[in-house]
């Protein structure tokens, strides 16, 4: 039996075991997916244990993604640029690191009939998921990406990533402040896709914090596709606003399945039953 795991902390709430084990059963693969708690300080010990028990691969979540990148023998282009790994394949003790979050987002958009090649995107956020999306969208041929960040220090982070992307893509990447609503409205007017990749809209009640980064319907247009990577709640204030304007939109369930499907493909070479998983998660 092949064994796969999710490592990180906390992980008890993760849907990954259900998705992976459902896929293994459906495709008749003799494999099992489990959980292994670890923090960044213990990850080297955890990886040694995984290698000792012969684990075929594992997913990595916070707070271990960056530390895992330093323990791999080889990194994908996206993982090398971002310095982060969420999927590891163990090839006879040689660890190959990948990042699948961005691929999951591109797959989710494609599934909804939206291609980003040659298009302009507006991306809200510069955290781990946003960074992975920025990198993969660039590698997948986006013409331009306007990134809106909370903190001035995030501009340096985006610029560093843009510099590393230069040998691989000619995507134009620009950074703005999220407080610059005039620029946000202007950039959205010429964008094909808006990607909301912050935690705003998750339902947390923080005094003085908005529950939607888009002020009103005037920021949206009929040709825009709105993607909010949040999937709980299923309809965030941003998605509710988009729906009220007749703007096509989607929550993060498909990205969740898409990133898992890419991990599954890396490990097994097979296609995960993604439509079944999405259907089950939506019902």
């Amino acid at each position: 039996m092949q064994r796969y795991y999710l490592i990180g902390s906390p992980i008890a709430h993760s849907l990954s075991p259900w998705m992976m084990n459902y896929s293994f059963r459906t495709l008749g693969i003799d494999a099992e997916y489990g959980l292994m708690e670890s923090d960044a300080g213990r990850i080297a010990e955890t990886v040694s244990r995984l290698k000792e028990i012969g684990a075929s691969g594992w997913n990595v979540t916070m707070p271990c993604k960056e530390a895992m990148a330093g323990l791999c023998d080889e990194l994908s282009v996206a993982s090398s640029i971002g310095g982060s790994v969420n999927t590891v394949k163990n090839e006879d003790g040689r660890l190959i690191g990948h990042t699948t979050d961005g691929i999951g987002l591109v797959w989710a958009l494609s599934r909804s009939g939206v291609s980003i090649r040659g298009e302009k995107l507006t991306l809200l956020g510069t955290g781990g998921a946003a960074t992975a999306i920025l990198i993969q969208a660039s590698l997948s041929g986006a013409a331009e990406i306007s990134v809106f960040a909370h903190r001035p220090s995030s501009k340096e982070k985006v610029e560093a990533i843009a510099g590393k992307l230069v040998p691989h893509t000619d995507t134009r990447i620009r950074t703005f402040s999220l407080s610059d609503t005039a620029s946000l409205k202007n950039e959205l007017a010429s964008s094909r896709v808006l990607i909301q990749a912050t935690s705003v809209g998750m339902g947390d009640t923080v005094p003085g914090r908005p529950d939607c980064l888009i002020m009103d319907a005037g920021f949206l247009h009929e040709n825009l596709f709105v993607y909010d990577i949040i999937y709980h709640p299923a309809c965030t204030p941003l998605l509710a606003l988009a729906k009220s304007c007749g703007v096509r939109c989607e929550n993060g369930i498909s990205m969740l399945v898409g990133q898992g499907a890419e991990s599954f493909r890396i490990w097994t070479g097979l296609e995960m039953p993604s439509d079944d998983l999405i259907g089950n998660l939506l019902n």
Side-chain angles (χ1 to χ4, degrees), residues 104-116 119-124 187-196 214 219-229 238-239 242-243 246-255:
L105 185 278
V106 173
W107 177 86
L109 292 175
S110 177
R111 182 175 180 272
S112 292
V114 179
S115 171
I116 65 170
E119 299 286 359
K120 177 177 177 179
L121 284 59
T122 291
L123 173 64
L124 308 183
E187 295 305 304
L188 282 171
S190 55
S191 292
R192 176 68 181 91
V193 183
L194 165 61
I195 303 166
Q196 200 298 116
I214 303 302
F219 284 72
L220 309 179
H221 60 84
E222 62 180 4
N223 294 320
L224 186 69
F225 188 91
V226 176
Y227 196 95
D228 195 329
I229 71 168
L238 172 60
L239 295 179
K243 289 177 181 179
V247 173
R248 292 185 65 208
C249 60
E250 191 172 330
N251 70 19
I253 284 291
S254 53
M255 177 180 164

Side-chain angles (χ1 to χ4, degrees), residues 112-162:
S112 292
V114 179
S115 171
I116 65 170
R117 182 167 294 278
E119 299 286 359
K120 177 177 177 179
L121 284 59
T122 291
L123 173 64
L124 308 183
T126 57
T131 298
I133 290 167
L134 171 63
I135 293 169
Q136 190 59 51
S138 299
L139 296 174
S140 297
E144 185 176 348
I145 305 175
S146 297
V147 183
F148 284 79
H150 277 295
R151 294 176 295 274
S153 60
S154 298
K155 182 176 181 180
E156 297 179 2
K157 174 183 178 181
V158 173
E159 289 174 347
I161 289 172

Side-chain angles (χ1 to χ4, degrees), residues 28-66:
I29 299 172
D30 188 19
E32 184 177 74
Y33 187 102
L35 300 174
M36 190 173 289
E37 288 270 351
S38 180
D39 56 33
R42 294 184 291 125
I43 190 170
E45 176 185 337
T46 302
V47 168
S48 293
R49 182 182 173 196
L50 287 165
K51 292 171 78 171
E52 286 174 4
I53 64 177
S56 299
W58 50 90
N59 286 133
V60 187
T61 190
M62 297 301 292
C64 301
K65 293 183 178 182
E66 290 77 16

Side-chain angles (χ1 to χ4, degrees), residues 270-283:
L270 300 174
E271 297 297 319
M272 177 182 270
S274 302
D275 288 340
D276 288 351
L277 291 169
I278 291 174
N280 286 328
L281 287 168
L282 290 176
N283 294 329

